[in-house]
Amino acid sequence: HSTSRRQRQMCIRDRYGAGVQNLILTLLNEGYVSMNRTSEIVTGLTDGVISPSNGYVAKLQKRLSDSLNEFNQELKKEVIRLPVVYWDDTVISINKKNACLRFYGDDRMAYYTAHLHKNRKGLDEDGVLDILSEKTIVMHDHNKVNYNEDYQFINVECCVHLLRDLKKVVDNLGHEWAKDLIELLLKENHNRNIGNYVDADYISLQYDTMLAQGGMENLEDEDRYYADEERTLLKRLKEYKENYLMWTLNEEIPFSNNISERSLRSSKTKMKISGQFENITNARYYANIKSYLETGKRNGYNVSELIKRALEGKYITISEMKTHDVQSEDCYLHRVFPVA
């Protein structure tokens, strides 16, 4: 009985060749096409000669995800060992409800997870933040959940995210303190990027002066629209000053969380093109596969080769990726993650 079951499974796997399977999985995971549309596209391209059912497409996606379990376990270990970990999450839709896709990594490693809810429980289930060392730098967009006694790492706030908040103050209230702080941050980060000396003490003093000015401007306009939001921002900037200005003390500490934001942007594209996930299981299949494909791309591999190797049961390992030498690699990384 078990033999006949294995034979049926082999029949499903071998129904279409490796090229067709690769095409299906590329459309799903790199083209962000829905399962229904993937079936229709393949059927149309072959004039109906090849007509994969939705069930076959779903089983193929599961097969690829299952083949990458060991890869993702190793990838998670690599992320935990990184000196700087970028992380962020974004909303995805699962069965008409808001859910969460989360990213951890840097410009070489991309580890994704999916959860039904965006909360601390999901973070701890991921098993990344809660076991990072006290020397690890974690870059984020003011995720307050990071500031708790159970986490030991060093928190660094994203200044590009801050610039957006300051721009809202300028647009709604026109206050000078916000304009001056935007100018200060942009100027000093530019100086750092071109190798000029950055005076952390000077920046700290200017920062305090501008916040004091902001308090006075807010008091003068306390009844105006957006004054409450400005007051909240001023309080946050005072409380988390060290986390916002840590980049001025160490050139290895990033200015922005640009890597996380770009790493999650494609999920928004997927939601627009193919819509929601049917369930959390399918979302997790997608996260497993995306971790492998995105990490591979960041180390110079193309999607077709990555999928081909995984379908053959010989996925490209982290070690292979780290030693992979390709001329276009630096161009790819610079294009995807330009200096903030």
Side-chain angles (χ1 to χ4, degrees):
H1 192 70
S2 61
T3 300
S4 62
R5 185 186 303 115
R6 284 196 297 270
Q7 288 174 341
R8 287 197 299 271
Q9 291 173 342
M10 289 297 295
C11 181
I12 291 172
R13 292 186 181 186
D14 297 337
R15 186 180 301 170
Y16 303 115
V20 173
Q21 294 176 8
N22 201 319
L23 173 61
I24 289 171
L25 291 167
T26 299
L27 288 172
L28 280 176
N29 299 288
E30 189 69 6
Y32 315 127
V33 182
S34 68
M35 289 189 180
N36 289 342
R37 288 287 295 145
T38 296
S39 298
E40 292 174 5
I41 289 171
V42 174
T43 301
L45 287 174
T46 62
D47 289 330
V49 174
I50 298 175
S51 183
S53 67
N54 290 344
Y56 175 80
V57 173
K59 289 177 181 178
L60 194 59
Q61 180 82 336
K62 179 182 185 301
R63 176 187 162 198
L64 179 59
S65 175
D66 289 347
S67 74
L68 297 172
N69 286 335
E70 290 185 11
F71 173 88
N72 279 290
Q73 290 172 11
E74 185 60 32
L75 175 60
K76 178 179 172 180
K77 294 176 183 178
E78 288 290 330
V79 169
I80 291 169
R81 289 194 286 261
L82 291 173
V84 179
V85 175
Y86 298 78
W87 91 267
D88 200 0
D89 50 28
T90 191
V91 174
I92 58 174
S93 182
I94 298 178
N95 195 23
K96 299 181 180 180
K97 295 181 180 179
N98 286 343
C100 168
L101 183 72
R102 187 170 292 127
F103 165 85
Y104 305 92
D106 63 1
D107 58 353
R108 298 290 177 136
M109 302 293 156
Y111 180 59
Y112 294 86
T113 62
H115 295 275
L116 286 173
H117 305 287
K118 182 178 178 179
N119 54 23
R120 165 75 185 274
K121 181 181 178 182
L123 287 171
D124 290 346
E125 286 175 357
D126 290 341
V128 176
L129 297 182
D130 59 334
I131 60 175
L132 294 178
S133 78
E134 66 278 2
K135 295 181 180 180
T136 306
I137 296 166
V138 175
M139 164 58 74
H140 57 90
D141 298 342
H142 194 60
N143 288 300
K144 291 189 70 173
V145 68
N146 282 18
Y147 297 94
N148 69 76
E149 61 184 11
D150 296 326
Y151 294 171
Q152 304 179 61
F153 51 78
I154 301 168
N155 284 287
V156 178
E157 295 277 353
C158 173
C159 284
V160 169
H161 194 78
L162 170 59
L163 290 172
R164 296 176 192 144
D165 291 336
L166 292 170
K167 184 65 166 53
K168 292 177 184 177
V169 173
V170 174
D171 291 343
N172 289 286
L173 295 168
H175 286 170
E176 292 299 319
W177 77 271
K179 296 178 185 177
D180 293 342
L181 187 51
I182 289 173
E183 182 179 347
L184 175 71
L185 293 173
L186 290 175
K187 177 183 177 181
E188 295 302 331
N189 182 52
H190 175 71
N191 283 335
R192 185 175 79 152
N193 288 338
I194 63 176
N196 290 345
Y197 172 68
V198 173
D199 189 334
D201 292 334
Y202 166 78
I203 296 173
S204 176
L205 179 61
Q206 291 296 307
Y207 183 98
D208 290 340
T209 301
M210 292 169 190
L211 293 194
Q213 176 65 26
M216 291 187 289
E217 289 186 271
N218 180 265
L219 189 60
E220 292 173 359
D221 292 330
E222 61 180 343
D223 295 326
R224 286 182 60 187
Y225 169 75
Y226 211 77
D228 288 345
E229 289 83 351
E230 179 187 45
R231 193 155 42 249
T232 299
L233 177 59
L234 285 164
K235 181 180 178 181
R236 188 206 324 159
L237 290 175
K238 182 177 180 180
E239 183 177 356
Y240 297 98
K241 173 185 174 181
E242 179 183 359
N243 309 97
Y244 276 112
L245 297 185
M246 204 169 294
W247 61 273
T248 66
L249 301 172
N250 184 345
E251 63 180 12
E252 299 301 320
I253 293 178
F255 181 81
S256 80
N257 199 20
N258 180 56
I259 288 177
S260 288
E261 292 190 3
R262 287 180 175 269
S263 298
L264 289 168
R265 192 169 296 167
S266 60
S267 65
K268 295 296 186 184
T269 304
K270 178 174 176 58
M271 290 296 99
K272 291 178 181 178
I273 295 175
S274 62
Q276 65 175 354
F277 292 100
E278 183 178 350
N279 51 54
I280 185 60
T281 300
N282 286 345
R284 286 174 174 161
Y285 291 159
Y286 172 75
N288 282 348
I289 294 168
K290 188 171 180 63
S291 297
Y292 173 65
L293 297 183
E294 189 61 33
T295 301
K297 289 194 297 181
R298 294 180 188 198
N299 289 279
Y301 286 92
N302 65 67
V303 170
S304 181
E305 175 65 14
L306 289 161
I307 293 175
K308 178 177 179 292
R309 286 278 301 271
L311 289 176
E312 292 172 348
K314 299 178 290 187
Y315 62 78
I316 298 172
T317 66
I318 294 289
S319 296
E320 288 179 88
M321 291 181 183
K322 290 169 72 173
T323 58
H324 186 57
D325 183 21
V326 62
Q327 292 182 352
S328 62
E329 179 179 324
D330 289 337
C331 293
Y332 170 81
L333 293 173
H334 179 73
R335 183 173 70 252
V336 177
F337 305 111
V339 176

